[in-house]
Amino acid sequence: MGRKKKKQMKPWCWYCNRDFDDEKILIQHQKAKHFKCHICHKKLYTGPGLAIHCMQVHKETIDSVPNAIPGRTDIELEIYGMEGIPDKDMQERRRTLEQKSQESQKKKNNQDDSDDDDDDDEAGPSAPQVAAVQPQASYAAQWPSLGFLRSLALLGCHLEDIKECLL
Ligand SMILES: [Zn+2]
Ligand SMILES: [Zn+2]
C-alpha cells in the first residue's frame, strides 16, 4: 500500500484498444484476432510473422493487421502482448487512463457537496410576519359583531348612541 509510482498498467491490446485482466489472455487474443492467417487459420506470434507466413506459404502479401482499429494496422510492427508498443502510444494510453480516473473522482465529489448551499434564507423573513398577524386578529376580536349592533338597534337605540356607548 501507499506507493503509487510505477503503477503497472492493465494489459490492453494495441491493435483494437481492448482491456484484458491478464497479459496471457491478451497474447491469446492477439494470436486469435490479429495474427491469424486468414487462409489456413494458423496462429502466428506477431504481425511481421503473419506477413512472412502468408508470403512464404501462400504467396500472398498482407499489408495490414486483421481486426485492428484505424491507425493501428501496421503489419511491420513487432508487438507481442504489451511488448513493442510505441512509446507515444503507451504515454497516450496512460494519459487517457488518468483522465478517466480524474473524471470519475470529480463526479463523486460533486455529488457529495450538493446539499451544503441551500436552507439559510428560509427562516428569517417569516418571523416578523407572524408577529404582524397577531395584533390584527385581536383588534378584530374586540370589534363588536353585526349581530350585537342589530340587537342594540332592536332595543331602540340610535346609531349615534351606539357609537357613544362604544367610545
Ligand atoms: Zn486486439
Ligand atoms: Zn496460412
Side-chain angles (χ1 to χ4, degrees):
M1 298 290 277
R3 295 203 170 186
K4 275 188 177 178
K5 275 187 181 176
K6 290 233 167 177
K7 190 168 58 178
Q8 188 93 55
M9 203 191 288
K10 202 177 173 189
W12 59 285
C13 177
W14 181 79
Y15 294 106
C16 68
N17 258 346
R18 261 179 69 176
D19 294 310
F20 292 89
D21 292 327
D22 196 321
E23 192 165 2
K24 279 180 197 164
I25 302 169
L26 167 62
I27 288 164
Q28 282 173 11
H29 156 86
Q30 286 178 335
K31 284 163 73 176
K33 280 276 175 185
H34 306 301
F35 307 146
K36 192 162 91 174
C37 172
H38 67 285
I39 300 163
C40 70
H41 302 293
K42 182 181 165 78
K43 289 173 187 169
L44 285 304
Y45 287 90
T46 61
L50 174 62
I52 290 164
H53 162 88
C54 286
M55 181 64 82
Q56 288 183 341
V57 179
H58 310 294
K59 310 284 182 236
E60 280 215 16
T61 315
I62 284 189
D63 51 13
S64 64
V65 171
N67 303 310
I69 61 174
R72 298 279 170 86
T73 56
D74 192 346
I75 196 82
E76 304 275 304
L77 275 174
E78 201 144 6
I79 289 174
Y80 179 79
M82 294 281 283
E83 283 172 38
I85 296 173
D87 272 349
K88 69 173 179 61
D89 292 325
M90 285 296 268
Q91 283 165 11
E92 190 189 309
R93 170 77 174 176
R94 203 164 275 149
R95 232 177 290 137
T96 33
L97 287 180
E98 278 170 15
Q99 275 176 4
K100 269 187 195 172
S101 65
Q102 278 176 3
E103 274 171 24
S104 60
Q105 275 180 353
K106 267 185 202 166
K107 275 181 193 167
K108 276 183 198 168
N109 287 343
N110 283 345
Q111 282 171 358
D112 289 345
D113 288 341
S114 62
D115 48 10
D116 269 348
D117 293 327
D118 309 328
D119 287 342
D120 281 329
D121 296 332
E122 298 289 334
S126 64
Q129 276 176 9
V130 170
V133 169
Q134 277 171 344
Q136 279 178 6
S138 55
Y139 185 69
Q142 283 169 0
W143 197 253
S145 70
L146 260 181
F148 176 61
L149 290 177
R150 216 174 263 148
S151 53
L152 282 180
L154 284 173
L155 286 171
C157 301
H158 293 288
L159 274 176
E160 297 299 321
D161 298 329
I162 296 170
K163 274 186 190 168
E164 278 174 15
C165 289
L166 289 172
L167 291 171

